[in-house]
Amino acid sequence: MAILEVENIHKQFERTQVLKGVDFRLEEGKALSIIGSSGSGKTTLLRCLNFLERPDRGRISIRGEVLFDAEDAVTRRESETRKKRLHFGLVFQNFNLFPQYTALQNVTLAGELMARERPDYRAKKREIRQELEEQATALLKSMDLGERLGNYPHQLSGGQQQRVAIARALALRPDILCFDEPTSALDPELTREVLRVIRELAARHTTMIIVTHEMRFAREVSDRVIFMDGGVVVEEGPPEQVFGSPREERTRRFLSYAEDQ
């Protein structure tokens, strides 16, 4: 059974139709890469999945539960949006770390805000904070940042900041971890650091959606690949098929152009 089902997603900004009926499914423990040129709708799709944008039409389901249905007023309530976002962890292009907090504090903060909603938070505040700090420390160590716990973002390289952002997303224990061009703000050496971490997550069967312009990486790390163009899914399949024997002329043209860059 698919962990994620996306059906007929549409999104329009003023007069521009960005998504024009996107459908796909994602199996648990699999990595899906979404490729395509700028303006194809990749990032907008990711923002709709994370409920940073509300689709105009369509349905999004997790483990068979409908999180959003444009025709169902209940699922469109703003009060439910925060809960929906907990299913997804999003790693942004530009890290989005809080500059006034250390690496450790950046990772623990989101978990603490969630914990404050627990009825036993006041009674167990110390234990909860200790647990969150231990979890954050373990996550940062898994990112090879064990010696950087007390560093502030400006004291970290871009690659280190992005690894803190990945740890922060994982701290919320999302069903699906999403990456929006995770290496676009990095130079080639730092890009390798971040891609190594994502490869390790894929090897541990973390369910992921990766919007990327790194074609070689997408081919290597993905279980499925989607090529988008003009707000629609043009082609979908295993990486060996999409990259090795694309069926659609639009896919072939895009990959040929990408190889020349």
Side-chain angles (χ1 to χ4, degrees):
M1 179 179 175
I3 186 174
L4 173 66
E5 295 180 84
V6 176
E7 303 171 63
N8 196 35
I9 294 296
H10 290 249
K11 182 62 183 177
Q12 182 170 330
F13 296 101
E14 297 182 351
R15 296 184 178 181
T16 303
Q17 190 75 30
V18 180
L19 300 177
K20 305 173 184 176
V22 174
D23 299 271
F24 69 90
R25 295 159 58 92
L26 177 62
E27 300 295 324
E28 189 163 12
K30 303 297 184 182
L32 169 70
S33 286
I34 303 177
I35 62 173
S37 58
S38 297
S40 61
K42 308 184 304 296
T43 293
T44 298
L45 174 60
L46 209 59
R47 289 178 65 85
C48 285
L49 293 178
N50 284 270
F51 300 101
L52 298 175
E53 302 287 353
R54 179 185 290 181
D56 300 317
R57 293 166 54 189
R59 177 185 294 182
I60 300 170
S61 303
I62 290 278
R63 302 186 196 279
E65 175 190 355
V66 177
L67 299 187
F68 177 86
D69 186 335
E71 298 181 359
D72 183 350
V74 174
T75 66
R76 290 189 285 110
R77 289 176 183 166
E78 287 294 333
S79 60
E80 297 296 313
T81 298
R82 189 172 180 181
K83 296 177 183 177
K84 296 171 188 174
R85 286 180 182 152
L86 296 178
H87 293 281
F88 300 89
L90 179 57
V91 180
F92 296 91
Q93 293 181 20
N94 295 314
F95 326 134
N96 283 16
L97 300 179
F98 293 105
Q100 70 271 35
Y101 295 129
T102 66
L104 184 62
Q105 290 169 333
N106 264 282
V107 177
T108 57
L109 181 62
E112 185 168 344
L113 290 174
M114 287 175 54
R116 288 177 183 175
E117 297 181 3
R118 290 171 46 172
D120 62 346
Y121 177 73
R122 289 190 177 182
K124 297 184 176 181
K125 183 188 299 186
R126 182 174 297 179
E127 295 95 320
I128 290 171
R129 285 183 172 176
Q130 182 178 349
E131 181 181 338
L132 289 171
E133 188 170 309
E134 289 173 354
Q135 178 194 30
T137 299
L139 282 169
L140 287 167
K141 285 182 177 179
S142 75
M143 301 288 158
D144 291 331
L145 293 170
E147 297 180 357
R148 299 286 187 173
L149 303 181
N151 285 74
Y152 291 89
H154 75 273
Q155 298 172 316
L156 303 172
S157 70
Q160 290 169 337
Q161 290 184 61
Q162 191 62 295
R163 283 183 277 152
V164 173
I166 294 171
R168 180 179 60 183
L170 288 170
L172 296 177
R173 299 178 182 176
D175 293 300
I176 300 169
L177 186 59
C178 302
F179 294 89
D180 183 15
E181 299 280 13
T183 61
S184 64
L186 305 176
D187 63 36
E189 183 175 357
L190 299 180
T191 291
R192 285 194 291 272
E193 292 180 18
V194 173
L195 295 184
R196 174 184 58 78
V197 170
I198 300 175
R199 286 189 184 95
E200 291 172 357
L201 292 171
R204 298 203 295 266
H205 302 290
T206 304
T207 309
M208 295 186 290
I209 299 175
I210 309 163
V211 169
T212 182
H213 61 274
E214 300 278 351
M215 296 300 106
R216 184 179 300 177
F217 170 72
R219 184 170 190 167
E220 174 190 337
V221 79
S222 308
D223 297 290
R224 302 283 292 178
V225 175
I226 283 175
F227 167 60
M228 289 186 65
D229 187 42
V232 299
V233 174
V234 174
E235 187 156 357
E236 178 182 1
E240 57 271 19
Q241 180 263 305
V242 173
F243 289 104
S245 302
R247 300 188 182 97
E248 301 295 330
E249 177 59 28
R250 289 157 79 185
T251 313
R252 289 193 287 271
R253 286 201 307 267
F254 170 77
L255 292 174
S256 176
Y257 176 78
E259 289 173 359
D260 291 338
Q261 299 307 299

